[in-house]
């Protein structure tokens, strides 16, 4: 675990997000944003883990993240996402949604747009926590404890579309499914697909975990195969869903011992998945069939050649995540934190880099995930 | 306890309100790193207890102690940086004070580590003490640097001071190196330098590497001492007072050492130097013989000892409880004593001591520290683990404190709930769910409210919410929150009313799906099995109307009899409180029902009769 750099930051971290790197760039991500929670004054901060030209000549810089700039944020940072290279959208426990701009020339952060009381129970009762956001340029979808879905665009002062009472329980997380569709998870274990081409205020599809109504806390969609969705639940279970068929998960994987706070497919290497939990652990799920297949190929040494290529072709088409055949036990799971203490609230992966933030007021960066 | 004035904005209009805080240091930004990082070490120490014994156990505890110290040092570094960058003189003062407090903490901790945890045998003990002095008496380091940077160090005004410092700290190699510079710069003193160099080289030391016995060591020491004595007596160093002083120091001449007071800066440096040259094989139980006298000699009655001095003195005197007591008084936080005491307790050094109040000292201090953390808006999460490791009162404290956490968001509530659930604190679980449930009801979020009461298995509250759902249905004619009610699953069994709500909704769904027979059967069952509350029977019977009037016969004759009985039961139970305005409509309804029931019964009898005959 020596390749993980830690930094104590004197605030509990609720969200960590890498700044996106342009598709053509080859260098690893260097800048990430964090949001804090439960502090008297919460903050959004921008950090850099980059090598500094001139500081260390040979480029062997393994320094800890250092602060570029920060800005006060009213309320807990409930969710956060980069809109583009310069802008960050943040969801607040006060019910507001704000866009922050990172001025890279003088390293400052400023607030560029804010929607107050985007989520509320009743105008007289006050605001409700905004629990999740997803940017689908030019739209920003927000969800909250009030069960409401809002659609904002940066050029409008008001929401361009609102679905009141979209859910009777708390909406916990949201992700983009296809261009006009979003997917939400709620605290009674349901997945709902919303199609914004339709005018109605009803979800186009509802999926649910059977029986126990376990709350779902996070959701992520497979970056290439849009029908594959992963969710994490209150009891630490990871579920994989195929939204094309059935209304139940394809597979239920026993994972953490407490709330599974975030799940992320690796954006460019989607056979890898990462989950973090309240129990203080962070797991790397490797479903790439590479290892076992290469091994079996060597072992059989050509005897089954007619069979092997066939199966591997099949694999790449139906994706490793949907083949839940227990006999092909090819999921490899690694725990990335050896001494868990308090909750790991958030993680983000980009390239070969992982960043995560915890309730022990620290952030961690791991630079070579796949070595 | 200390008073800290809060920012004025917190108490608008009343600048005289002060916030009283239990543990002021908990609110320091830089110290939060100390609390968080040491929390991990603390938990680690509690977990891998009892695994090892003997030597490896000691090594393990020393490693833990070093980890704690490195955390203090890191924190000190941060505070130092903050002090440098602070523009505001008040803040600068604040951070500078913090640095000195932290460095005092580290100094004390390090000495405790040497004395209590490591408890090295004679000889080795002195090595540790020398390291301790070298690490902490750093005022002289600048002088050393300055001299060494000079082109010809031997000519520097502080040259001999630096050599003396090296000798006083037992850094012989460095002293000899400097001495060789003097020898080359000053040919007249070449011989003297050589002799002194030889003496320094020969000085016997007990180091971790060699395994000589104490008697061997003492014999060698005697021999070396006599040699020094000889050179001093025959006037070898007479022409150079500096070297003469050095030789006297090697001989352990206390007055000569004491004259170099300003080079040692502290009495504990003097003590260690004195031990080095007078009692090199001192055992740690004998230290107390020299500690007090060193302090007295050093201060010379000019000034009185400060709290730090008495703490260190107590440590040298092997009085653990005095150390902890004095630290508790002198330091403004509980962090230090709590962690140190816990560590010492793991070394089995505190067994005999039980307080006349509460539990033992370790637990008492941990509880104090954790309570301070719990009062903090963010650090409360750390405190939970500390309470966990207080066997006697930890749980009671946790129960007491956890109920006072403000549940601002569901997210936070879930975290608190998880803490309680993991520890089977059913009372608190129920209370948290109830609070959240009440909040949701107030915000008119019945779905959320029901979810919370289902989680708490709070049947009474679930009933209350179910009633709200049913009332809404009666008012509006439609159900809200269908996504929830349709998915109640097994949790439906939590309360009778909830079961009814779920089943009643099921009836509507079947009816909507045109499964009339099943719907009718369910409707009847809701009444005959007494699932439906009596107040709702009339509504159910009204729901039966369209089924009775359906062109197909749905209710069998037996079922119709039962329905009739239900109607009569309702009528009989109805008290004589007939309100005038409802009267007409109500009587109308009953009449219609009776008519429909009679007609259905007739049709059912005919149908059943014909079926049987055919």
């Amino acid at each position: 675990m020596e390749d993980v750099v830690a930094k104590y930051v004197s605030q509990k971290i609720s969200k960590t997000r890498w700044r996106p790197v342009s598709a053509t760039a080859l260098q690893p991500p260097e800048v990430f944003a964090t949001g804090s929670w439960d502090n008297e004054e919460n903050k959004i901060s921008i950090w850099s883990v980059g090598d500094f030209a001139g500081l260390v000549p040979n480029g062997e810089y393994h320094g800890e993240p250092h602060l570029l700039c920060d800005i006060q944020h009213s309320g807990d940072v409930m969710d956060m996402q980069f809109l583009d290279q310069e802008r960050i959208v943040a969801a607040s426990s006060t019910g507001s949604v704000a866009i922050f701009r990172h001025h890279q020339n003088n390293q400052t952060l400023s607030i560029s747009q804010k929607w107050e009381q985007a989520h509320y129970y009743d105008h007289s009762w006050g605001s409700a926590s905004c629990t999740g956001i997803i940017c689908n340029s030019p739209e920003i979808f927000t969800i909250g404890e009030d069960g409401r879905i809002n659609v904002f665009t940066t050029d409008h002062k008001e929401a361009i579309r609102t679905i009141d009472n979209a859910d009777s329980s708390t909406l916990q997380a949201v992700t983009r499914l296809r261009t006009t569709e979003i997917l939400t998870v709620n605290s009674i274990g349901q997945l709902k697909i919303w199609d914004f081409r339709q005018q109605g205020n009803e979800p186009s599809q509802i999926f649910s975990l059977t029986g126990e109504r376990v709350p779902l806390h996070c959701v992520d969609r497979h970056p290439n195969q849009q029908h594959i969705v992963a969710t994490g639940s209150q009891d630490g279970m990871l579920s994989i869903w195929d939204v094309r068929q059935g209304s139940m998960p394809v597979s239920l994987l026993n994972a953490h011992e407490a709330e599974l706070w975030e799940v992320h497919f690796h954006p460019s290497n989607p056979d890898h998945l990462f989950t973090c939990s309240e129990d203080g652990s962070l797991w790397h799920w490797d479903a790439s069939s590479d290892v076992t297949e290469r091994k079996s190929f060597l072992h059989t040494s050509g005897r089954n050649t007619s069979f092997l290529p066939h199966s591997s072709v099949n694999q790449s088409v139906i994706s490793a995540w949907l083949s839940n055949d227990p006999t092909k036990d090819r999921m490899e799971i690694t725990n990335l934190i050896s001494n868990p203490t308090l909750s790991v609230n958030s993680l983000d992966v980009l390239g070969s880099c992982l960043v995560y933030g915890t309730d022990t007021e620290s952030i961690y960066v791991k630079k070579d995930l796949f070595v | 306890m200390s008073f800290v004035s809060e920012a004025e904005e917190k108490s608008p209009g009343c600048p005289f309100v002060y916030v009283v805080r239990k543990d002021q240091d908990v609110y320091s930004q830089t110290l939060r790193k100390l609390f968080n990082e040491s929390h991990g070490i603390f938990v680690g120490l509690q977990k891998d207890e009892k695994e090892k014994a003997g030597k490896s156990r000691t090594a393990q505890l020393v490693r833990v102690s070093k980890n704690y110290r490195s955390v203090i040092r890191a924190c000190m570094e941060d505070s130092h940086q903050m002090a440098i960058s602070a523009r505001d003189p008040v803040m600068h003062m604040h951070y500078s004070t913090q640095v000195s407090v932290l460095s005092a903490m580290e100094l004390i901790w390090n000495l405790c580590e040497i004395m209590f945890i490591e408890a090295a045998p004679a000889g080795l003990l002195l090595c540790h003490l020398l390291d301790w002095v070298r690490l902490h008496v750093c005022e002289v380091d600048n002088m050393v640097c300055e001299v060494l940077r000079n082109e010809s160090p031997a000519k520097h005004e502080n040259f001999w001071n630096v050599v003396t410092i090296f000798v006083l700290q037992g850094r012989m190699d460095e002293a000899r190196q400097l001495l060789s510079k003097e020898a080359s710069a000053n040919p007249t003193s070449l011989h003297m330098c050589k002799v002194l160099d030889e003496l320094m080289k020969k000085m016997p030391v007990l180091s971790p590497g060699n395994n000589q016995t104490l008697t061997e060591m003492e014999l060698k020491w005697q021999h070396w001492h006599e040699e020094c004595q000889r050179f001093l007596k025959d006037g070898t160093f007479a022409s150079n007072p500096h070297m003469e002083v050095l030789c006297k120091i090697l001989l352990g001449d206390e007055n000569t050492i004491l004259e170099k007071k300003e080079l040692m800066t502290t009495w504990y440096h003097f003590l260690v130097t004195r031990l080095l040259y007078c009692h090199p094989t001192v055992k740690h139980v004998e230290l107390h013989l020299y500690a007090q006298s060193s302090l007295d000699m050093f201060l010379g009655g000019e000034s009185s000892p400060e709290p730090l001095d008495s703490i260190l003195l107590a440590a040298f005197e092997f009085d653990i409880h005095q150390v902890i007591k004095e630290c508790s008084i002198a330091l403004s936080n509980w962090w230090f004593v709590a962690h140190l005491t816990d560590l010492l307790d793991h070394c089995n050094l505190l067994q005999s001591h039980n307080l006349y109040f509460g539990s033992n000292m370790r637990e008492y201090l941990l509880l104090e520290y954790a309570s301070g953390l719990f009062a903090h808006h963010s650090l409360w999460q750390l405190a939970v683990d500390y309470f966990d490791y207080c066997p006697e009162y930890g749980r009671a404290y946790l129960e007491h404190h956890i109920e006072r956490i403000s549940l601002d968001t569901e997210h936070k509530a879930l975290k608190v709930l998880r803490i309680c659930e993991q520890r089977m604190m059913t009372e608190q679980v129920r209370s948290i769910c109830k609070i959240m449930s009440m909040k949701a009801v107030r915000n008119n979020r019945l779905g959320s409210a029901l979810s919370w009461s289902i989680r708490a298995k709070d049947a009474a509250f679930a009933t209350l919410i179910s009633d709200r759902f049913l009332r809404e249905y009666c008012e509006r004619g439609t159900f809200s929150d269908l996504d929830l009610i349709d998915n109640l699953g097994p949790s439906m069994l939590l309360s009778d009313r909830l079961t009814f709500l779920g089943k009643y909704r099921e009836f509507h769904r079947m009816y909507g799906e045109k499964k009339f027979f099943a719907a009718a059967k369910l409707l009847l069952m809701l009444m005959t099995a007494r699932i439906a509350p009596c107040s709702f029977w009339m509504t159910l019977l009204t729901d039966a109307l369209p089924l009775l009037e359906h062109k197909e016969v749905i209710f069998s004759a037996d079922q119709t009899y039962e329905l009739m009985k239900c109607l009569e039961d309702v009528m009989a139970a109805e008290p004589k409180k007939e309100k005038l305005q409802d009267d007409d409509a109500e009587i109308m309804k009953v009449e219609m029902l009776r008519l429909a029931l009679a007609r259905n019964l007739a049709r059912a009898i005919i149908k059943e009769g014909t079926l049987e005959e055919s």
Side-chain angles (χ1 to χ4, degrees), chain A residues 209-215, chain B residues 490:
Chain A
L209 287 173
T210 43
E212 286 301 309
R213 304 165 16 103
V214 186

PDB file of all heavy atoms in Angstrom, chain A residues 209-215, chain B residues 490:
ATOM      1  N   LEU A 209     -35.631  -4.503  -6.383  1.00  0.00           N
ATOM      2  CA  LEU A 209     -35.046  -5.636  -5.676  1.00  0.00           C
ATOM      3  C   LEU A 209     -36.216  -6.405  -5.094  1.00  0.00           C
ATOM      4  O   LEU A 209     -37.178  -5.816  -4.645  1.00  0.00           O
ATOM      5  CB  LEU A 209     -34.167  -5.150  -4.534  1.00  0.00           C
ATOM      6  CG  LEU A 209     -32.828  -4.520  -4.891  1.00  0.00           C
ATOM      7  CD1 LEU A 209     -32.195  -3.945  -3.644  1.00  0.00           C
ATOM      8  CD2 LEU A 209     -31.899  -5.560  -5.488  1.00  0.00           C
ATOM      9  N   THR A 210     -36.122  -7.708  -5.072  1.00  0.00           N
ATOM     10  CA  THR A 210     -37.244  -8.468  -4.543  1.00  0.00           C
ATOM     11  C   THR A 210     -37.309  -8.351  -3.032  1.00  0.00           C
ATOM     12  O   THR A 210     -36.308  -8.191  -2.353  1.00  0.00           O
ATOM     13  CB  THR A 210     -37.096  -9.953  -4.893  1.00  0.00           C
ATOM     14  OG1 THR A 210     -35.750 -10.297  -4.684  1.00  0.00           O
ATOM     15  CG2 THR A 210     -37.509 -10.214  -6.298  1.00  0.00           C
ATOM     16  N   GLY A 211     -38.533  -8.439  -2.541  1.00  0.00           N
ATOM     17  CA  GLY A 211     -38.721  -8.621  -1.102  1.00  0.00           C
ATOM     18  C   GLY A 211     -38.340  -7.476  -0.195  1.00  0.00           C
ATOM     19  O   GLY A 211     -39.158  -6.626   0.094  1.00  0.00           O
ATOM     20  N   GLU A 212     -37.081  -7.433   0.185  1.00  0.00           N
ATOM     21  CA  GLU A 212     -36.734  -6.692   1.384  1.00  0.00           C
ATOM     22  C   GLU A 212     -36.733  -5.171   1.297  1.00  0.00           C
ATOM     23  O   GLU A 212     -36.488  -4.511   2.284  1.00  0.00           O
ATOM     24  CB  GLU A 212     -35.377  -7.173   1.905  1.00  0.00           C
ATOM     25  CG  GLU A 212     -35.450  -8.533   2.575  1.00  0.00           C
ATOM     26  CD  GLU A 212     -36.400  -8.582   3.764  1.00  0.00           C
ATOM     27  OE1 GLU A 212     -36.280  -7.709   4.641  1.00  0.00           O
ATOM     28  OE2 GLU A 212     -37.261  -9.471   3.795  1.00  0.00           O
ATOM     29  N   ARG A 213     -36.978  -4.607   0.171  1.00  0.00           N
ATOM     30  CA  ARG A 213     -37.014  -3.156   0.030  1.00  0.00           C
ATOM     31  C   ARG A 213     -35.766  -2.481   0.598  1.00  0.00           C
ATOM     32  O   ARG A 213     -35.837  -1.504   1.341  1.00  0.00           O
ATOM     33  CB  ARG A 213     -38.225  -2.552   0.758  1.00  0.00           C
ATOM     34  CG  ARG A 213     -39.559  -3.109   0.352  1.00  0.00           C
ATOM     35  CD  ARG A 213     -40.646  -2.743   1.332  1.00  0.00           C
ATOM     36  NE  ARG A 213     -40.272  -1.668   2.223  1.00  0.00           N
ATOM     37  CZ  ARG A 213     -40.688  -0.424   2.093  1.00  0.00           C
ATOM     38  NH1 ARG A 213     -41.488  -0.107   1.134  1.00  0.00           N
ATOM     39  NH2 ARG A 213     -40.306   0.490   2.935  1.00  0.00           N
ATOM     40  N   VAL A 214     -34.599  -2.982   0.294  1.00  0.00           N
ATOM     41  CA  VAL A 214     -33.378  -2.389   0.821  1.00  0.00           C
ATOM     42  C   VAL A 214     -33.065  -1.115   0.040  1.00  0.00           C
ATOM     43  O   VAL A 214     -33.038  -1.136  -1.187  1.00  0.00           O
ATOM     44  CB  VAL A 214     -32.201  -3.372   0.689  1.00  0.00           C
ATOM     45  CG1 VAL A 214     -30.973  -2.808   1.359  1.00  0.00           C
ATOM     46  CG2 VAL A 214     -32.572  -4.698   1.294  1.00  0.00           C
ATOM     47  N   PRO A 215     -32.822  -0.014   0.723  1.00  0.00           N
ATOM     48  CA  PRO A 215     -32.526   1.227   0.018  1.00  0.00           C
ATOM     49  C   PRO A 215     -31.297   1.110  -0.885  1.00  0.00           C
ATOM     50  O   PRO A 215     -30.311   0.455  -0.524  1.00  0.00           O
ATOM     51  CB  PRO A 215     -32.256   2.223   1.143  1.00  0.00           C
ATOM     52  CG  PRO A 215     -32.979   1.678   2.303  1.00  0.00           C
ATOM     53  CD  PRO A 215     -32.934   0.197   2.162  1.00  0.00           C
TER      54      PRO A 215
ATOM     55  N   PRO B 490     -42.978  -8.173   2.415  1.00  0.00           N
ATOM     56  CA  PRO B 490     -43.184  -8.747   3.749  1.00  0.00           C
ATOM     57  C   PRO B 490     -43.330  -7.694   4.849  1.00  0.00           C
ATOM     58  O   PRO B 490     -43.893  -7.971   5.911  1.00  0.00           O
ATOM     59  CB  PRO B 490     -41.916  -9.568   4.007  1.00  0.00           C
ATOM     60  CG  PRO B 490     -41.205  -9.638   2.723  1.00  0.00           C
ATOM     61  CD  PRO B 490     -41.691  -8.549   1.844  1.00  0.00           C
TER      62      PRO B 490
END
